[in-house]
Amino acid sequence: MNECPRCRQPVDSRAIACPFCRMELKAHGHPGILLYRADEDQYLCQSCTYHLDDTCTFPQRPQAKDCTLYRDHAQATQATQAPLYRPARASSLKVWLSRNGTWLVLVGLVCVSVAIALLR
């Protein structure tokens, strides 16, 4: 079990809010998302990779005390930084086919029509 950062009471790790003081523990109601919290006298943006390269779109920037997308620039280097999510090739092909299926059918019909016209 984890403990609440405000009241220090034991809290279930899947809890969204502390049952004692009602402090929000997870962001946007998704229990599986990590929520990074800054110390009381610091802000997360001071050491965040997204703040340093100016790609952060968080509304509380640069005074964010908690964030789900925080990445410490001291730990992440360009040479060793792996992408956070890379879909499998098979799934990306399936997505592409589902989005462009109508166009593929139309192109196929045009090709068949041209082939029939040339054979006559």
Side-chain angles (χ1 to χ4, degrees):
M1 282 199 135
N2 297 337
E3 68 177 30
C4 175
R6 181 184 293 160
C7 67
R8 303 288 183 216
Q9 294 292 325
V11 179
D12 184 27
S13 62
R14 296 174 293 164
I16 296 170
C18 175
F20 302 100
C21 68
R22 300 287 181 217
M23 179 179 179
E24 184 179 336
L25 300 173
K26 302 290 182 176
H28 310 294
H30 299 286
I33 296 177
L34 289 176
L35 181 63
Y36 298 95
R37 291 192 184 275
D39 294 331
E40 297 212 12
D41 59 336
Q42 296 179 352
Y43 297 112
L44 286 176
C45 296
Q46 295 170 349
S47 62
C48 183
T49 302
Y50 297 118
H51 177 71
L52 294 176
D53 65 5
D54 204 30
T55 58
C56 180
T57 58
F58 195 53
Q60 282 79 19
R61 178 184 177 207
Q63 287 89 19
K65 288 284 194 177
D66 54 1
C67 183
T68 57
L69 297 176
Y70 173 76
R71 294 196 62 181
D72 189 2
H73 77 278
Q75 295 178 354
T77 61
Q78 295 293 57
T80 61
Q81 186 175 358
L84 295 176
Y85 173 72
R86 183 179 304 162
R89 290 196 184 266
S91 66
S92 61
L93 180 63
K94 287 179 185 178
V95 170
W96 188 87
L97 288 174
S98 68
R99 289 182 181 171
N100 299 307
T102 306
W103 291 109
L104 289 174
V105 170
L106 288 174
V107 168
L109 286 173
V110 168
C111 290
V112 168
S113 300
V114 168
I116 290 173
L118 290 176
L119 292 176
R120 289 185 180 216

